[in-house]
């Protein structure tokens, strides 16, 4: 157990639907990163939050959004889902603005 | 922009043999470099990292990596591979923007198979 908890572990949904992925960072970690892992794109950085504020955006689609709550957990919202959104979505946390990433075990999203 | 290249998509070694996984990076300044391992159905686990100083870095599970600035490389090595080392290995470089962001740029990964 890495200390970073992601739920759900698996999610199957239909095209056009909306889902929410949840990440609870390791205790004390202020920064949360979201990554998408797919066969064709590999591991892609989506977005980072630090202590509730958005800090950086990567290759995140406009249909996707995220937030970090006062208790530091984060949610990634994916809407108008397409088949190509099927992927593993990881979150990682760090204590601050450093590189000590701890990854969760991921949410596998399948869009049918 | 920073980038990471892992030229070997798939490698097979025999148990007990030595291992070297290649990683080349593109970055203007001194890079922050990492190796992660991903077992099937699992998240990514940090094996080792290089920030500065000694160019030979020791990690967990008996792995080490050597930073070679002249070759823009950060190859991962292990003297004797165990069957449990079969997994996918990712090299990554840290991208910072004035210290405000520390996102990682990952290579495409190398899938390691271990033969008995």
């Amino acid at each position: 157990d890495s200390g970073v908890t992601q739920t759900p572990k698996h999610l199957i949904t239909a095209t056009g639907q909306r889902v929410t992925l949840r990440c609870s960072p390791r205790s004390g970690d202020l920064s949360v990163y979201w990554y998408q892992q797919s066969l064709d794109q590999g591991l892609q950085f989506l977005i980072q939050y630090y202590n509730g504020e958005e800090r950086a955006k990567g290759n995140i689609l406009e249909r996707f959004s995220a937030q970090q709550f006062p208790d530091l957990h984060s949610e990634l919202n994916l809407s108008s889902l397409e088949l190509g959104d099927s992927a593993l979505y990881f979150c990682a946390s760090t204590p601050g603005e450093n590189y000590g990433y701890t990854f969760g075990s991921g949410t596998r999203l399948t869009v049918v | 922009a920073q980038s990471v290249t892992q030229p070997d998509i798939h490698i097979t070694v025999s148990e007990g043999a030595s291992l070297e996984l290649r990683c080349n990076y593109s970055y203007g300044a001194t890079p922050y470099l990492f190796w992660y391992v991903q077992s099937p159905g699992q998240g990514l686990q940090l094996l080792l990292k290089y920030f500065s100083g000694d160019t030979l870095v020791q990690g967990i599970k008996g792995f080490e990596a050597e930073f070679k600035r002249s070759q823009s490389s950060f190859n991962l090595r292990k003297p004797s591979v165990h069957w449990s080392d079969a997994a996918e290995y990712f090299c990554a470089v840290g991208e910072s923007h004035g210290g405000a962001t520390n996102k990682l740029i990952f290579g495409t990964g190398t899938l390691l198979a271990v033969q008995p």
Side-chain angles (χ1 to χ4, degrees), chain A residues 33 35 37 42-43 45 48 55-58 88 90 96-106 108, chain B residues 32 34 36 38 41-44 46 49 51 88 90 94-96 99-107:
Chain A
Y33 298 77
Y35 283 81
Q37 185 179 35
L43 273 158
F45 167 71
Q48 179 211 2
R55 275 298 173 89
K57 266 187 174 180
L88 258 173
F90 287 106
E97 296 189 316
N98 63 54
Y99 292 100
Y101 273 49
T102 301
F103 278 87
S105 57
R108 181 171 294 279
Chain B
Y32 294 167
F34 307 81
Y36 284 85
Q38 184 179 26
Q42 301 295 314
L44 289 92
L46 180 66
K49 59 189 176 187
F51 286 179
E88 190 156 21
F90 292 91
E95 182 172 293
S96 177
T101 299
N102 301 299
K103 70 177 184 180
L104 297 184
I105 309 298
F106 285 90

Side-chain angles (χ1 to χ4, degrees), chain B residues 51-110:
Chain B
F51 286 179
S52 63
D54 193 347
T55 57
L56 186 61
V57 180
Q58 301 298 319
I60 63 171
K61 304 185 179 187
F63 286 93
E64 66 179 26
E66 186 170 13
F67 170 61
K68 292 185 177 180
R69 183 187 300 276
S70 61
Q71 299 176 19
S72 297
S73 70
F74 189 56
N75 293 349
L76 182 71
R77 301 194 294 248
K78 187 169 185 177
S80 178
V81 170
H82 188 262
W83 64 266
S84 61
D85 293 324
E88 190 156 21
Y89 292 80
F90 292 91
C91 181
V93 62
E95 182 172 293
S96 177
H97 300 279
T101 299
N102 301 299
K103 70 177 184 180
L104 297 184
I105 309 298
F106 285 90
T108 51
T110 297

